[in-house]
Coordinates of all heavy atoms in Angstrom, one line a residue:
L16 N -16.8 -25.3 -32.5 CA -15.6 -26.0 -32.2 C -15.9 -27.5 -32.5 O -15.0 -28.2 -33.0 CB -15.2 -25.8 -30.8 CG -14.8 -24.3 -30.3 CD1 -14.5 -24.3 -28.9 CD2 -13.7 -23.9 -31.2
L17 N -16.9 -28.0 -32.0 CA -17.2 -29.4 -32.2 C -17.3 -29.9 -33.6 O -16.8 -30.9 -34.0 CB -18.6 -29.8 -31.5 CG -18.9 -31.2 -31.3 CD1 -17.8 -32.0 -30.3 CD2 -20.3 -31.4 -30.6
A18 N -18.0 -29.0 -34.4 CA -18.1 -29.3 -35.8 C -16.7 -29.3 -36.5 O -16.3 -30.1 -37.3 CB -19.0 -28.4 -36.5
R19 N -15.8 -28.3 -36.2 CA -14.4 -28.3 -36.7 C -13.6 -29.5 -36.3 O -13.0 -30.2 -37.1 CB -13.8 -27.0 -36.1 CG -12.5 -26.7 -37.0 CD -11.6 -25.6 -36.3 NE -12.5 -24.5 -35.8 CZ -12.0 -23.6 -35.0 NH1 -10.8 -23.7 -34.4 NH2 -12.9 -22.6 -34.7
V20 N -13.7 -29.9 -35.0 CA -13.0 -31.1 -34.5 C -13.4 -32.4 -35.2 O -12.7 -33.3 -35.7 CB -13.0 -31.1 -33.0 CG1 -12.4 -32.6 -32.6 CG2 -12.3 -30.0 -32.3
D21 N -14.8 -32.4 -35.4 CA -15.4 -33.6 -36.0 C -15.0 -33.8 -37.4 O -15.0 -35.0 -37.9 CB -16.9 -33.5 -35.8 CG -17.7 -34.9 -36.2 OD1 -17.0 -35.9 -35.8 OD2 -18.7 -34.7 -36.7
S22 N -14.6 -32.8 -38.0 CA -14.3 -32.9 -39.5 C -12.7 -32.9 -39.6 O -12.2 -33.0 -40.7 CB -14.7 -31.6 -40.2 OG -14.1 -30.5 -39.7
G23 N -12.0 -33.1 -38.5 CA -10.6 -33.3 -38.5 C -9.8 -32.0 -38.4 O -8.6 -31.9 -38.6
G24 N -10.6 -30.9 -38.1 CA -9.9 -29.6 -38.0 C -9.2 -29.4 -36.7 O -9.3 -30.1 -35.7
Q25 N -8.4 -28.3 -36.6 CA -7.6 -28.0 -35.4 C -8.0 -26.8 -34.8 O -8.5 -25.8 -35.4 CB -6.0 -27.9 -35.8 CG -5.1 -27.8 -34.6 CD -3.7 -28.0 -35.1 OE1 -3.4 -28.3 -36.2 NE2 -2.8 -27.9 -34.1
L26 N -7.9 -26.8 -33.4 CA -8.3 -25.6 -32.7 C -7.1 -24.7 -32.7 O -6.0 -25.0 -32.7 CB -8.6 -26.0 -31.2 CG -9.9 -27.0 -31.1 CD1 -10.2 -27.1 -29.6 CD2 -11.1 -26.5 -31.9
G27 N -7.3 -23.3 -32.6 CA -6.4 -22.4 -32.5 C -5.8 -22.2 -31.1 O -6.3 -22.7 -30.1
A28 N -4.6 -21.6 -31.0 CA -3.8 -21.5 -29.6 C -4.7 -20.7 -28.7 O -4.8 -21.2 -27.6 CB -2.5 -20.7 -30.0
G29 N -5.4 -19.7 -29.1 CA -6.3 -18.9 -28.1 C -7.4 -19.8 -27.6 O -7.8 -19.7 -26.5
E30 N -8.0 -20.6 -28.6 CA -9.1 -21.5 -28.2 C -8.7 -22.5 -27.1 O -9.3 -22.7 -26.2 CB -9.8 -22.1 -29.4 CG -10.4 -21.1 -30.3 CD -10.8 -21.6 -31.7 OE1 -9.9 -22.5 -32.1 OE2 -11.6 -21.1 -32.3
L31 N -7.5 -23.0 -27.4 CA -7.0 -24.0 -26.5 C -6.6 -23.5 -25.1 O -6.9 -24.1 -24.1 CB -5.7 -24.7 -27.1 CG -5.9 -25.6 -28.3 CD1 -4.6 -25.9 -29.1 CD2 -6.6 -26.9 -27.9
E32 N -6.1 -22.3 -25.1 CA -5.8 -21.5 -23.8 C -7.1 -21.3 -23.1 O -7.1 -21.5 -21.8 CB -4.9 -20.3 -24.1 CG -3.5 -20.6 -24.6 CD -3.0 -19.2 -25.1 OE1 -3.6 -18.2 -25.0 OE2 -1.8 -19.3 -25.5
E33 N -8.1 -20.9 -23.9 CA -9.4 -20.7 -23.2 C -9.9 -21.9 -22.6 O -10.5 -21.9 -21.4 CB -10.3 -20.1 -24.1 CG -11.5 -19.4 -23.5 CD -12.4 -18.7 -24.5 OE1 -12.0 -18.4 -25.6 OE2 -13.5 -18.2 -24.0
L34 N -9.8 -23.0 -23.3 CA -10.3 -24.3 -22.7 C -9.5 -24.8 -21.5 O -10.1 -25.3 -20.6 CB -10.3 -25.4 -23.9 CG -11.3 -25.3 -25.0 CD1 -10.9 -26.2 -26.1 CD2 -12.7 -25.7 -24.4
A35 N -8.2 -24.4 -21.6 CA -7.4 -24.9 -20.4 C -7.6 -24.1 -19.3 O -7.5 -24.6 -18.1 CB -5.9 -24.7 -20.9
R36 N -8.0 -22.8 -19.4 CA -8.4 -22.0 -18.3 C -9.7 -22.4 -17.6 O -9.9 -22.0 -16.4 CB -8.3 -20.6 -18.6 CG -7.0 -19.9 -18.9 CD -7.1 -18.4 -18.9 NE -7.9 -17.9 -20.0 CZ -7.6 -17.6 -21.2 NH1 -6.3 -17.8 -21.6 NH2 -8.6 -17.2 -22.1
S37 N -10.6 -22.9 -18.4 CA -11.9 -23.1 -17.9 C -12.0 -24.2 -16.8 O -11.3 -25.2 -17.0 CB -12.9 -23.5 -19.0 OG -14.1 -24.0 -18.5
A38 N -12.7 -24.0 -15.8 CA -12.9 -25.0 -14.7 C -13.8 -26.1 -15.2 O -13.9 -27.2 -14.6 CB -13.4 -24.3 -13.4
D39 N -14.6 -25.9 -16.2 CA -15.6 -26.8 -16.7 C -14.9 -27.7 -17.7 O -14.6 -27.3 -18.8 CB -16.8 -26.1 -17.4 CG -17.9 -27.2 -17.7 OD1 -17.7 -28.3 -17.6 OD2 -19.0 -26.7 -18.3
I40 N -14.7 -29.0 -17.3 CA -13.9 -29.9 -18.3 C -14.8 -30.7 -19.1 O -14.2 -31.4 -20.0 CB -13.0 -30.8 -17.4 CG1 -13.7 -31.7 -16.5 CG2 -11.8 -30.0 -16.8 CD1 -12.9 -32.7 -15.8
L41 N -16.1 -30.7 -18.9 CA -16.9 -31.5 -19.7 C -16.9 -31.1 -21.2 O -16.8 -32.0 -22.1 CB -18.4 -31.4 -19.2 CG -18.5 -32.2 -17.8 CD1 -20.0 -32.2 -17.4 CD2 -18.0 -33.7 -17.9
P42 N -17.0 -29.8 -21.5 CA -16.8 -29.5 -23.1 C -15.6 -29.9 -23.5 O -15.5 -30.4 -24.6 CB -17.0 -27.9 -23.0 CG -17.8 -27.6 -21.8 CD -17.3 -28.7 -20.8
L43 N -14.5 -29.7 -22.7 CA -13.1 -30.0 -23.3 C -13.1 -31.7 -23.5 O -12.6 -32.1 -24.6 CB -12.1 -29.7 -22.2 CG -10.7 -30.1 -22.4 CD1 -10.0 -29.5 -23.6 CD2 -9.8 -29.9 -21.1
G44 N -13.7 -32.4 -22.6 CA -13.8 -33.9 -22.7 C -14.6 -34.2 -24.0 O -14.1 -35.2 -24.7
M45 N -15.6 -33.5 -24.2 CA -16.5 -33.8 -25.4 C -15.6 -33.6 -26.7 O -15.7 -34.4 -27.7 CB -17.8 -33.0 -25.4 CG -18.7 -33.5 -24.3 SD -20.2 -32.4 -24.3 CE -20.9 -32.8 -25.9
L46 N -14.9 -32.5 -26.8 CA -14.2 -32.1 -27.9 C -13.0 -33.2 -28.2 O -12.9 -33.6 -29.3 CB -13.5 -30.7 -27.8 CG -14.6 -29.5 -27.8 CD1 -13.9 -28.3 -27.4 CD2 -15.0 -29.4 -29.3
A47 N -12.4 -33.6 -27.1 CA -11.3 -34.5 -27.1 C -11.7 -35.9 -27.6 O -11.1 -36.6 -28.3 CB -10.5 -34.6 -25.9
D48 N -12.9 -36.3 -27.1 CA -13.5 -37.6 -27.4 C -13.9 -37.6 -28.9 O -13.7 -38.6 -29.5 CB -14.8 -37.9 -26.5 CG -15.3 -39.2 -26.9 OD1 -14.7 -40.2 -26.7 OD2 -16.5 -39.3 -27.3
T49 N -14.4 -36.5 -29.3 CA -14.7 -36.4 -30.8 C -13.5 -36.5 -31.6 O -13.4 -37.2 -32.7 CB -15.5 -35.0 -31.1 OG1 -16.7 -35.0 -30.2 CG2 -15.8 -35.0 -32.5
A50 N -12.4 -36.0 -31.2 CA -11.2 -35.8 -31.9 C -10.6 -37.3 -32.1 O -10.2 -37.7 -33.1 CB -10.2 -34.8 -31.3
R51 N -10.6 -38.0 -30.9 CA -10.0 -39.4 -30.8 C -10.9 -40.3 -31.7 O -10.3 -41.2 -32.4 CB -9.8 -39.9 -29.5 CG -10.9 -40.1 -28.6 CD -11.6 -41.5 -28.6 NE -10.6 -42.4 -28.2 CZ -10.6 -43.7 -28.6 NH1 -11.6 -44.1 -29.5 NH2 -9.8 -44.5 -28.2
R52 N -12.2 -40.1 -31.7 CA -13.0 -41.0 -32.5 C -12.9 -40.8 -34.0 O -13.1 -41.7 -34.8 CB -14.5 -40.9 -32.1 CG -14.8 -41.4 -30.8 CD -16.3 -41.2 -30.3 NE -16.5 -41.6 -28.9 CZ -17.0 -42.8 -28.6 NH1 -17.2 -43.8 -29.5 NH2 -17.2 -43.1 -27.3
H53 N -12.6 -39.5 -34.4 CA -12.3 -39.2 -35.7 C -11.1 -40.0 -36.3 O -11.0 -40.4 -37.4 CB -12.0 -37.6 -35.8 CG -11.8 -37.2 -37.3 ND1 -12.7 -37.1 -38.2 CD2 -10.6 -37.0 -37.9 CE1 -12.2 -36.7 -39.4 NE2 -10.8 -36.7 -39.2
V54 N -10.0 -40.2 -35.4 CA -8.9 -40.9 -35.8 C -8.9 -42.4 -35.6 O -8.6 -43.2 -36.4 CB -7.7 -40.4 -34.9 CG1 -6.4 -41.1 -35.4 CG2 -7.5 -38.9 -35.2
H55 N -9.6 -42.8 -34.5 CA -9.5 -44.2 -34.0 C -10.9 -45.0 -33.9 O -10.9 -46.1 -33.8 CB -8.9 -44.4 -32.7 CG -7.4 -43.9 -32.7 ND1 -6.3 -44.6 -33.2 CD2 -6.9 -42.7 -32.1 CE1 -5.2 -43.9 -32.9 NE2 -5.5 -42.7 -32.4
G56 N -11.9 -44.2 -34.2 CA -13.2 -44.8 -34.0 C -13.4 -45.2 -32.6 O -13.2 -44.5 -31.7
T57 N -13.8 -46.5 -32.3 CA -14.1 -47.1 -31.1 C -12.9 -48.0 -30.5 O -13.1 -48.5 -29.5 CB -15.4 -47.8 -31.0 OG1 -15.3 -48.9 -31.9 CG2 -16.6 -46.9 -31.3
A58 N -11.8 -48.0 -31.3 CA -10.7 -49.0 -30.9 C -9.9 -48.3 -29.8 O -9.5 -47.1 -29.9 CB -10.0 -49.4 -32.2
V59 N -9.5 -49.1 -28.8 CA -8.5 -48.7 -27.9 C -7.5 -49.8 -27.8 O -7.8 -51.0 -27.6 CB -9.2 -48.6 -26.4 CG1 -8.1 -48.5 -25.4 CG2 -10.0 -47.4 -26.4
T60 N -6.2 -49.5 -28.0 CA -5.1 -50.4 -27.9 C -4.6 -50.4 -26.6 O -4.6 -49.6 -25.8 CB -4.0 -50.1 -29.0 OG1 -3.7 -48.7 -28.8 CG2 -4.6 -50.3 -30.4
Y61 N -3.9 -51.6 -26.3 CA -3.2 -51.7 -25.0 C -2.0 -52.6 -25.3 O -2.0 -53.5 -26.2 CB -4.1 -52.3 -23.9 CG -4.6 -53.8 -24.3 CD1 -3.9 -54.9 -23.8 CD2 -5.8 -54.0 -25.0 CE1 -4.4 -56.2 -24.1 CE2 -6.3 -55.3 -25.2 CZ -5.5 -56.4 -24.9 OH -6.0 -57.6 -25.1
L62 N -1.0 -52.4 -24.5 CA 0.3 -53.1 -24.6 C 0.7 -53.9 -23.3 O 0.7 -53.2 -22.2 CB 1.4 -52.1 -25.0 CG 2.8 -52.6 -25.0 CD1 2.9 -53.7 -26.2 CD2 3.8 -51.5 -25.1
R63 N 0.9 -55.2 -23.4 CA 1.2 -55.9 -22.3 C 2.9 -55.9 -22.2 O 3.5 -56.3 -23.2 CB 0.9 -57.3 -22.3 CG -0.7 -57.4 -22.1 CD -1.2 -58.8 -21.8 NE -1.3 -59.7 -23.0 CZ -1.7 -60.9 -22.9 NH1 -1.9 -61.6 -21.8 NH2 -1.8 -61.6 -24.1

């Protein structure tokens, strides 16, 4: 899953549902962080 996300790939509906059901959010967080870094690198924007 991590390799797929890191290359810009998308998770399937069943995989997302399984992640949503899991009580362990650390793998979910790692996948999401990898996905956001693929798009934005280390930049975080803010709006005043």
Side-chain angles (χ1 to χ4, degrees):
L16 295 179
L17 191 63
R19 193 191 315 163
V20 169
D21 191 34
S22 63
Q25 188 169 356
L26 303 186
E30 293 165 333
L31 289 165
E32 290 170 1
E33 192 169 354
L34 286 166
R36 287 194 301 268
S37 174
D39 185 0
I40 61 173
L41 292 181
L43 178 63
M45 291 176 64
L46 290 168
D48 182 61
T49 299
R51 63 95 57 215
R52 288 176 187 271
H53 179 79
V54 178
H55 299 283
T57 59
V59 168
T60 51
Y61 63 92
L62 176 66
R63 290 197 281 177

